[in-house]
């Protein structure tokens, strides 16, 4: 990216990074599961409470037939 383009971006360094997963519903669910198995995303606060709180719910993407979820780190 050019310096001029970077200056136009309104990005705060306090914002958290995001990973967007876009694909079929099955692909998105598989990738979310893979992130937990590979410990890319670990958000289990305890062994009794197993909520996947860092991923947004799977929602329809703005592309035909695609779904998406976002991991906020």
């Amino acid at each position: 990216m050019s310096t001029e383009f970077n200056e136009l971006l309104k990005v705060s360094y306090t914002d958290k990074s995001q990973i967007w997963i876009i694909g079929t519903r099955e692909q998105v669910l598989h990738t979310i599961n893979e992130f937990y198995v590979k410990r890319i995303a670990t958000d289990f606060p305890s062994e009794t409470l197993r909520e996947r709180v860092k991923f947004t719910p799977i929602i329809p993407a703005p592309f035909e037939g695609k779904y998406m979820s976002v991991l906020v780190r």
Side-chain angles (χ1 to χ4, degrees):
M1 282 191 217
S2 67
T3 305
E4 296 84 18
F5 184 72
N6 284 336
E7 291 172 357
L8 293 174
L9 293 174
K10 305 278 186 205
V11 177
S12 170
Y13 290 105
T14 59
D15 290 340
K16 295 182 180 182
S17 62
Q18 299 177 353
I19 299 172
W20 290 52
I21 304 167
I22 300 173
T24 65
R25 189 173 188 80
E26 292 77 23
Q27 289 171 331
V28 172
L29 187 57
H30 177 76
T31 304
I32 290 172
N33 290 333
E34 187 177 7
F35 276 28
Y36 283 109
V37 168
K38 292 184 178 181
R39 298 188 185 265
I40 294 170
T42 57
D43 60 5
F44 296 139
S46 70
E47 287 299 315
T48 58
L49 178 63
R50 294 191 173 267
E51 294 183 64
R52 296 183 172 187
V53 294
K54 291 188 179 179
F55 282 97
T56 63
I58 298 174
I59 59 171
F63 311 108
E64 187 175 334
K66 300 291 182 178
Y67 292 85
M68 63 184 283
S69 181
V70 179
L71 167 65
V72 179
R73 299 184 70 165

